[in-house]
Amino acid sequence: MYLLVLDDVWNENEEEWEKLKTLLLDGKRGSKVVITTRIELVANITSPISQGYPLKGLSDDQSWALLKRMAFKEEQETISTNFKAIGMDMVKKCKGVPLAIKTIGRVLSKKKTEAEWSDIKNIELTNVTELKDGIMPVLKLSYDYLPPYLKCCFAYCSLFPKDYLINKLTLIQLWIAQGFIQSPDENLLLVDVADDYFKELLWRSFFQEVEKDEGMTGGFKMHDLMHDLAQYVSRIDCTLVDSNAKKVNEKRRHLSFPFYNVSFFEENLSTLVRANKIRTFILAYNNWNYYQGTIEESTLKKLISSFRYLRALDLHGLNMKMLPNTIDTLMHLKYLDLSSNDIEVLPSSITKLVNLQTLKLCLCKKLRKLPVDIQKLVSLKHLDLEDCENLTHMPHGLGQLTSLQTLNLFVLSEGPVGSSKHCGGLAELNKLNDLRGKLEIKNLPQLKDATPEYKAANLKDKQRLSKLILRWNPEGDDGVDAMDSLQPHKHLKYLEVDSYMGVRVSSWLSVLTNLVELRIGHCKKCQYLPPLYQLSSLRELAIVGMDGLEYMADGDMNDEISASLASPSTFFPSLEDLWLFGCGNLKGWWRSVDKGNEATTTSTISSSSSTNHYHQHMPYFPRLSFLSLDYCPKMTWMPLFPNLEKKLWLTNSSLKPLEETIEMNNRGGRASSFPSSSSSFSPPLSKLKELYLEQIPEELESLPEEWFKNLTSLETLHIWECPNLTSLPEGVSHLTSLQRLEIQCCPQLKQRCEKENGEDWDKISHIPNLYIY
């Protein structure tokens, strides 16, 4: 059985629809096909018998409410009846389409008088006579009211096919390459000015945000109607080449190919090269649609030699093994995308491209080195090396490119520091203080005195970096305290530390108060972490493969309890996701607990009275929603987690933290008196939706009945590899929200859960999705 949704269909070929229908008839009874279209003929062809469902637009009142929200400030309560009368006339021309209402509303938001509104209704909107189709005149009017610097930016977007996920930074780099971006202030970077342009087009509803915009990394799309408008207004200069096209208009200035087909380029080469004045040549297809052929080097050479005026050249995903050395003939080139190719070495001639601003080499997994004279690329601002996993070093002289804004990978040679004059060290990063976004430093040396080398990177002055990854070469000396010299700027939002062999992670970690995500992994000799609980912005924390770590916090539990009692919001106030994975020696959260006059380690707490005492004062995570404890079998004491909502995953780890959290109310503990994340009190774990129990080290014969009194929101329960588990508690039958139960490698339980005959069948028969292996 299937549900197939075909959205915004334009194909009017009846024969092709009949072929598709023949294939779909093999589906099981109950299969459905949903088709949306703007063309009545398509509806008649695809569904000649059943009646379609014409979708109505917004009502007049709804349309006016939306227009009012777009055109007026929120605090403006009273609006004159004249404004409303003019607005109601205009929304009728929008035919109830929200996109048209929003865009015309943004135009009207700049007009403050009734006369200006009347002019738009009676003159401007009436004069848009070129487009008669539906709401297109309204959208065209919105375009006409764009300032000139935004018109060219919007029109250029017609080079991307419909429903294409456009990378924001890529588009900005292309705009800059074409000279569309002009800075009003020499102190402003063009990329920031372009970002403002983008935000204004987004605000005016010419773009639709799809991915959350983290700096410059977000993705967005254009509504199909806006794409139609972009193609209309750019029809003289821009062409989105169809794969069935027999020729390409040689007068066009910007060409885009939403496909890659070797035969097309070879068959149409003579036509393509006639368009020798083009400024843009891009391949606008998605990564998963790469054609698995290889373009001939002779074809590439012919294209390069013909397009002398190119500003932007995109050759990504062509399976190229080498870039022709004639690339240096493109003296005007500012944007070059060579990503996802099999290039091992770039030609030295590429360094003659003195106007080149953007060089993309991401996913060139065979690339071994960058050009020796890379410093000759004096205009370079963006060097994308993401996932160039075979790079051996950075060239000496890279640090002279002080205008660099993007350098997401910096690889140090595995040889001794300074062993080769062609290999740049961390000092190359010293003056690159305009770097933004992500920086990964790979193969950091493990040295007993690495301070001078590390300090040379000058990470603290790189204020625009948001993401920093530090990866050490696991071979070498133990770099005790060497991390101190790698302190980044306090604005950092993401930090990853990998394979550091020092005993202690640097204390500067505690002052990164803007940190949102922290990952520390494979630091096998690390025994001490700095205090993390007051990182007020931290939402995700992952500690992975830390063999030497016994306690998450080196101090006394009461130190953190005191802070929590003074203000509960100071103990990991924003933490939502916590991963503890592969920390085989991790015993507890705190190294010691001060019980009155008696100090003890958390690992020695065992008696009921001791348990009650510590439970009464145990801090808890106020916002934690996801917790994964994997392969941490000794971890028995940690802060409680009553507000988990998304998932709790326990693999080869003790059940003690789970038991203590569920029982926190029964203990009469202070933890239960703290307010939960919601406005009203709810029992611990009553919001949890998914619970995974796998390879539990205790001799677990049954799950405690009292657990299931709390787990009222549970939707998924997985029990894997618990061979001693003999039965399920009666409480499972009362979990009315449970949609999925999976039991694997639990032989005794499998027998008891046998359909209709098993002793526990009545407890689980109400669950829709049962998987018992």
Side-chain angles (χ1 to χ4, degrees):
M1 188 182 298
Y2 61 79
L3 171 64
L4 177 63
V5 179
L6 303 176
D7 185 39
D8 198 20
V9 175
W10 289 69
N11 193 316
E12 300 174 2
N13 189 314
E14 193 166 354
E15 186 177 339
E16 289 187 9
W17 279 111
E18 285 299 323
K19 290 179 182 178
L20 178 60
K21 182 179 177 181
T22 302
L23 296 173
L24 296 176
L25 288 175
D26 289 337
K28 289 184 179 180
R29 186 177 182 83
S31 296
K32 303 289 183 184
V33 180
V34 178
I35 299 171
T36 67
T37 181
R38 286 185 265 161
I39 304 172
E40 189 172 353
L41 179 59
V42 172
N44 293 334
I45 292 172
T46 58
S47 185
I49 300 175
S50 61
Q51 187 177 0
Y53 299 90
L55 298 180
K56 295 181 180 180
L58 300 178
S59 67
D60 286 351
D61 288 341
Q62 290 170 326
S63 297
W64 166 244
L66 179 57
L67 183 76
K68 186 169 61 173
R69 184 154 58 90
M70 295 294 108
F72 297 100
K73 294 180 179 179
E74 291 183 10
E75 62 269 19
Q76 187 169 343
E77 296 181 0
T78 57
I79 298 169
S80 75
T81 54
N82 290 339
F83 268 123
K84 182 174 180 179
I86 299 168
M88 289 295 284
D89 285 344
M90 280 192 279
V91 295
K92 288 177 181 177
K93 295 180 183 293
C94 296
K95 302 184 185 301
V97 177
L99 176 66
I101 298 168
K102 287 169 68 176
T103 52
I104 196 68
R106 291 305 190 192
V107 172
L108 294 171
S109 70
K110 306 287 186 180
K111 310 300 177 184
K112 305 302 180 184
T113 67
E114 293 176 16
E116 289 176 308
W117 276 46
S118 293
D119 285 345
I120 290 176
K121 185 193 82 166
N122 298 324
I123 302 174
E124 304 288 353
L125 198 53
T126 306
N127 286 343
V128 185
T129 57
E130 303 162 275
L131 299 165
K132 297 292 186 182
D133 180 25
I135 64 167
M136 197 56 71
V138 178
L139 299 181
K140 175 62 165 59
L141 179 63
S142 300
Y143 169 82
D144 290 340
Y145 268 86
L146 287 177
Y149 59 84
L150 289 183
K151 285 183 177 178
C152 57
C153 291
F154 170 71
Y156 192 79
C157 295
S158 67
L159 292 174
F160 298 97
K162 285 185 176 180
D163 202 41
Y164 186 86
L165 184 63
I166 307 171
N167 179 269
K168 175 182 172 182
L169 181 57
T170 294
L171 180 64
I172 283 176
Q173 291 165 345
L174 288 168
W175 282 348
I176 293 173
Q178 299 302 327
F180 296 158
I181 312 299
Q182 302 297 323
S183 177
D185 185 338
E186 61 180 14
N187 295 319
L188 286 176
L189 297 175
L190 289 182
V191 70
D192 292 325
V193 178
D195 188 36
D196 289 339
Y197 287 12
F198 174 87
K199 289 175 181 175
E200 186 168 356
L201 286 168
L202 181 66
W203 178 78
R204 291 173 180 266
S205 299
F206 284 85
F207 296 154
Q208 295 178 329
E209 195 170 33
V210 176
E211 297 177 345
K212 187 177 180 182
D213 183 11
E214 296 286 351
M216 294 283 181
T217 61
F220 71 97
K221 292 185 178 182
M222 297 173 66
H223 191 283
D224 285 353
L225 291 171
M226 281 300 184
H227 191 276
D228 291 344
L229 177 63
Q231 286 194 309
Y232 174 78
V233 298
S234 67
R235 62 193 183 279
I236 296 175
D237 289 328
C238 300
T239 295
L240 187 65
V241 181
D242 188 275
S243 58
N244 297 316
K246 298 301 181 184
K247 62 178 182 177
V248 176
N249 191 320
E250 60 191 62
K251 294 183 179 180
R252 297 292 185 260
R253 289 294 178 263
H254 308 287
L255 298 183
S256 172
F257 301 85
F259 60 90
Y260 171 54
N261 186 304
V262 168
S263 60
F264 176 87
F265 287 109
E266 292 176 347
E267 292 169 8
N268 294 276
L269 187 61
S270 59
T271 304
L272 282 173
V273 297
R274 288 197 199 115
N276 56 12
K277 298 293 179 64
I278 65 169
R279 304 294 196 269
T280 303
F281 183 103
I282 60 175
L283 304 175
Y285 49 81
N286 292 313
N287 292 351
W288 51 87
N289 288 330
Y290 283 173
Y291 179 82
Q292 296 302 314
T294 302
I295 193 167
E296 292 291 332
E297 186 179 355
S298 58
T299 303
L300 272 177
K301 285 184 175 180
K302 185 68 173 175
L303 289 172
I304 289 172
S305 63
S306 301
F307 300 147
R308 299 296 181 92
Y309 299 99
L310 273 178
R311 266 62 171 177
L313 174 61
D314 178 1
L315 300 173
H316 81 276
L318 301 185
N319 294 325
M320 289 166 33
K321 290 184 169 48
M322 63 173 57
L323 179 68
N325 56 16
T326 54
I327 191 71
D328 63 349
T329 60
L330 303 179
M331 293 304 298
H332 302 286
L333 196 65
K334 295 184 178 182
Y335 176 98
L336 178 59
D337 187 352
L338 300 172
S339 55
S340 298
N341 279 299
D342 294 331
I343 299 170
E344 294 185 17
V345 179
L346 293 169
S348 59
S349 59
I350 198 172
T351 61
K352 296 181 181 179
L353 300 177
V354 293
N355 291 304
L356 192 66
Q357 298 172 346
T358 299
L359 177 57
K360 291 192 171 186
L361 297 165
C362 56
L363 286 165
C364 289
K365 297 190 175 183
K366 295 184 179 180
L367 186 67
R368 293 185 286 107
K369 60 181 181 179
L370 297 173
V372 172
D373 295 328
I374 197 168
Q375 70 272 15
K376 293 181 179 179
L377 295 173
V378 292
S379 300
L380 197 63
K381 291 179 173 58
H382 304 281
L383 179 57
D384 188 351
L385 301 172
E386 188 84 37
D387 292 321
C388 290
E389 56 192 36
N390 225 21
L391 267 180
T392 58
H393 65 278
M394 294 289 106
H396 184 70
L398 181 68
Q400 296 177 38
L401 302 177
T402 53
S403 295
L404 270 180
Q405 298 166 23
T406 301
L407 179 64
N408 42 31
L409 178 63
F410 189 94
V411 183
L412 291 161
S413 171
E414 293 189 5
V417 176
S419 60
S420 172
K421 65 179 181 179
H422 296 302
C423 298
L426 285 172
E428 299 292 339
L429 291 170
N430 188 273
K431 296 181 180 179
L432 304 185
N433 292 332
D434 283 337
L435 290 181
R436 60 176 65 204
K438 172 186 172 182
L439 172 62
E440 176 181 350
I441 304 178
K442 190 175 173 183
N443 283 335
L444 280 160
Q446 306 273 3
L447 301 172
K448 285 189 175 179
D449 185 15
T451 300
E453 174 77 2
Y454 290 176
K455 195 171 184 179
N458 191 27
L459 295 180
K460 202 169 184 179
D461 284 347
K462 295 169 179 35
Q463 301 183 27
R464 295 173 181 265
L465 277 184
S466 59
K467 186 172 184 177
L468 178 63
I469 301 175
L470 301 173
R471 297 194 190 281
W472 273 260
N473 184 333
E475 304 297 328
D477 298 323
D478 297 346
V480 181
D481 297 330
M483 273 187 70
D484 289 348
S485 301
L486 288 172
Q487 181 173 353
H489 195 272
K490 63 181 181 181
H491 291 163
L492 199 70
K493 292 186 176 181
Y494 176 105
L495 175 65
E496 184 173 345
V497 177
D498 185 80
S499 299
Y500 175 61
M501 291 301 163
V503 176
R504 184 184 300 272
V505 173
S506 185
S507 59
W508 51 251
L509 204 59
S510 301
V511 301
L512 300 180
T513 53
N514 291 296
L515 209 60
V516 173
E517 189 169 348
L518 173 62
R519 297 177 179 271
I520 304 175
H522 312 105
C523 305
K524 298 186 180 299
K525 297 183 181 181
C526 177
Q527 299 175 27
Y528 306 99
L529 295 177
L532 303 176
Y533 71 97
Q534 286 184 311
L535 293 177
S536 57
S537 301
L538 192 66
R539 291 203 299 261
E540 297 184 21
L541 173 62
I543 307 295
V544 178
M546 305 284 280
D547 294 351
L549 192 65
E550 294 185 351
Y551 302 98
M552 287 289 294
D554 191 38
D556 192 299
M557 182 178 78
N558 284 351
D559 294 339
E560 296 184 14
I561 288 176
S562 298
S564 297
L565 291 175
S567 174
S569 63
T570 61
F571 185 79
F572 288 102
S574 302
L575 192 66
E576 297 174 359
D577 297 343
L578 173 61
W579 287 269
L580 299 176
F581 181 88
C583 301
N585 291 307
L586 190 62
K587 298 175 183 178
W589 201 267
W590 299 275
R591 183 170 295 276
S592 63
V593 178
D594 183 9
K595 189 180 74 172
N597 298 322
E598 181 183 355
T600 183
T601 62
T602 55
S603 59
T604 65
I605 300 171
S606 58
S607 71
S608 176
S609 60
S610 296
T611 299
N612 283 335
H613 174 85
Y614 297 116
H615 203 293
Q616 288 175 7
H617 299 282
M618 183 73 75
Y620 79 106
F621 298 106
R623 296 189 61 186
L624 196 67
S625 182
F626 171 94
L627 172 61
S628 178
L629 286 175
D630 292 340
Y631 300 96
C632 302
K634 299 180 181 179
M635 179 74 166
T636 57
W637 284 90
M638 66 177 291
L640 307 178
F641 38 89
N643 298 320
L644 282 191
E645 291 189 23
K646 291 190 294 189
K647 184 183 296 186
L648 172 60
W649 196 311
L650 299 176
T651 300
N652 194 7
S653 298
S654 174
L655 290 174
K656 192 69 176 290
L658 171 59
E659 293 170 346
E660 294 297 330
T661 298
I662 288 180
E663 294 173 8
M664 59 186 287
N665 284 348
N666 301 330
R667 305 277 188 181
R670 188 182 296 273
S672 63
S673 68
F674 288 158
S676 71
S677 59
S678 63
S679 57
S680 59
F681 172 78
S682 56
L685 301 180
S686 60
K687 300 176 183 178
L688 184 65
K689 290 182 171 59
E690 297 184 34
L691 174 60
Y692 293 74
L693 303 174
E694 181 176 356
Q695 300 176 9
I696 303 302
E698 287 99 334
E699 297 296 321
L700 187 65
E701 294 185 0
S702 63
L703 299 176
E705 190 72 48
E706 57 268 22
W707 287 11
F708 295 90
K709 295 177 182 178
N710 284 18
L711 302 176
T712 53
S713 300
L714 199 66
E715 297 175 357
T716 299
L717 175 60
H718 288 230
I719 305 172
W720 298 341
E721 299 185 51
C722 297
N724 296 316
L725 196 62
T726 58
S727 65
L728 291 175
E730 189 65 36
V732 173
S733 62
H734 302 303
L735 298 180
T736 55
S737 298
L738 196 60
Q739 298 295 308
R740 179 185 178 96
L741 172 64
E742 183 170 337
I743 300 173
Q744 182 174 346
C745 298
C746 304
Q748 298 184 67
L749 200 56
K750 177 180 182 295
Q751 186 176 355
R752 289 181 63 96
C753 292
E754 185 179 344
K755 187 174 183 179
E756 297 181 353
N757 297 321
E759 295 176 63
D760 285 347
W761 172 250
D762 288 343
K763 301 175 185 177
I764 64 173
S765 59
H766 68 289
I767 303 172
N769 300 292
L770 293 171
Y771 303 92
I772 302 174
Y773 306 102

